Amino acid sequence: MPSSSDTSNDPIEQNPLNLVAAGNGRGLQVEQAPGQKDFIAYRVSNRPAFKLVRAPLDRKWMDDSRDRFAYRCLPLLIANQSGWLALNSVPFRASWNGGWDKACMAVEALDGVSELPAITHFGEGVLTFHMPWLFRTPPGWNLWAHGIPNHPKDGIVALEGVIETDWALATFTMNWKFTARNMWVTFEKDEPICMLTPFRRGDLESLDPVEKDLAENPEMHAAYTEWSASREKFIKDLNKPGSEAQAMKWEKDYFRGLGPDGKVMPQHQTRLTLKEFEPIKKK
């Protein structure tokens, strides 16, 4: 977690709530007690020696933001932590010249000798990491393998996929697509190359999306109008010397989970408490 000598304006220090852990899973052909939700990563290869860790709250660019202002955005913080990360094992660099053939990409270990953790497998400017695990989630749970939230990388972008990991017996690859030609892109040791987020199959499809005019909900319309006026006043008062807004620096109601009536929302979260993967037990 990022550190600071002055935590008076640090949103995490002001409201250090720790609530429910994210979903874990149960796997096919694995006997478990009812209600248990193990998210299992069966290692099928020790090469490459990627590591699995829960995703951290912090990001380097957020640390470097003026007055650490980026940490005031709770939606960013929750997204940062919503899964587990696979970390790169060997520092390397790669470049693509724009062609479709596999020969159009160069991949080099930075030490010149280590086995490469990524290759050009598909061509088309796609860099491929072979994940050394077979994952198992609970019955009815999928696994979303995706890029790292709020972790931009020049010249290349993560491709994402959803796998039915409650039954599939095939491993999957994590792929990155070059967006720049003739540019070296470096992946450092322990840099995240994939984020893993389990979610229940069918939940999205169970929703009934509807677009409405806000005026159709008088109570919500009144609350929003009040909030909007308050927000506008706060922004104006930021320029007034000695104002309450200047002393506060930023509005904290959403971060604190305060509703229109000033009450704290009972299921509000400012931090996720995912568990770390348990290491393989040596026999």
Side-chain angles (χ1 to χ4, degrees), residues 71-79 254-255 268-271:
Y71 287 101
R72 301 172 186 176
C73 181
L74 183 56
L76 284 181
L77 302 184
I78 296 299
Y254 179 75
F255 208 108
H268 178 62
Q269 292 180 285
T270 60
R271 193 178 293 179

Side-chain angles (χ1 to χ4, degrees), residues 211-278:
E211 185 176 10
K212 294 184 177 182
D213 191 295
L214 182 58
E216 294 183 44
N217 187 326
E219 184 178 355
M220 183 177 291
H221 184 268
Y224 171 77
T225 300
E226 181 180 351
W227 171 85
S228 182
S230 173
R231 173 68 171 171
E232 185 176 352
K233 181 179 183 301
F234 184 88
I235 292 174
K236 289 181 179 179
D237 288 349
L238 281 174
N239 297 318
K240 296 180 180 179
S243 67
E244 183 180 356
Q246 277 200 346
M248 291 178 61
K249 296 184 179 180
W250 57 288
E251 290 182 293
K252 306 176 179 67
D253 286 357
Y254 179 75
F255 208 108
R256 293 170 172 169
L258 298 178
D261 56 2
K263 295 181 179 178
V264 177
M265 297 295 101
Q267 296 184 347
H268 178 62
Q269 292 180 285
T270 60
R271 193 178 293 179
L272 302 186
T273 55
L274 279 66
K275 300 174 183 177
E276 293 285 7
F277 272 85
E278 295 183 8

Side-chain angles (χ1 to χ4, degrees), residues 136-180:
R136 275 293 173 267
T137 44
W141 284 66
N142 291 337
L143 184 62
W144 179 18
H146 57 101
I148 295 80
N150 307 312
H151 184 77
K153 194 169 184 67
D154 289 343
I156 200 167
V157 64
L159 302 181
E160 309 186 359
V162 173
I163 308 98
E164 294 182 2
T165 43
D166 57 343
W167 67 268
L169 292 174
T171 56
F172 60 85
T173 60
M174 179 62 191
N175 299 284
W176 290 67
K177 178 75 171 70
F178 273 91
T179 57

Side-chain angles (χ1 to χ4, degrees), residues 24-43:
N24 307 316
R26 189 178 85 164
L28 187 68
Q29 301 173 341
V30 177
E31 295 295 331
Q32 296 180 328
Q36 189 171 348
K37 293 183 179 179
D38 287 344
F39 175 28
I40 305 173
Y42 289 106
R43 184 172 281 277

Side-chain angles (χ1 to χ4, degrees), residues 2 41 44 124 198:
V44 298
E124 305 293 348

Side-chain angles (χ1 to χ4, degrees), residues 99-114:
W100 65 267
D101 190 74
K102 291 192 289 185
C104 295
M105 186 186 300
V107 187
E108 302 175 355
L110 292 183
D111 62 8
V113 296
S114 295

Side-chain angles (χ1 to χ4, degrees), residues 178-210:
F178 273 91
T179 57
R181 301 180 181 187
N182 302 314
M183 169 184 171
W184 285 107
V185 172
T186 299
F187 284 85
E188 302 290 351
K189 186 178 187 302
D190 291 333
E191 179 177 344
I193 55 94
C194 179
M195 190 161 182
L196 303 163
T197 304
F199 67 97
R200 271 195 291 254
R201 189 155 58 245
D203 275 3
L204 290 176
E205 295 159 294
S206 70
L207 300 176
D208 297 317
V210 181

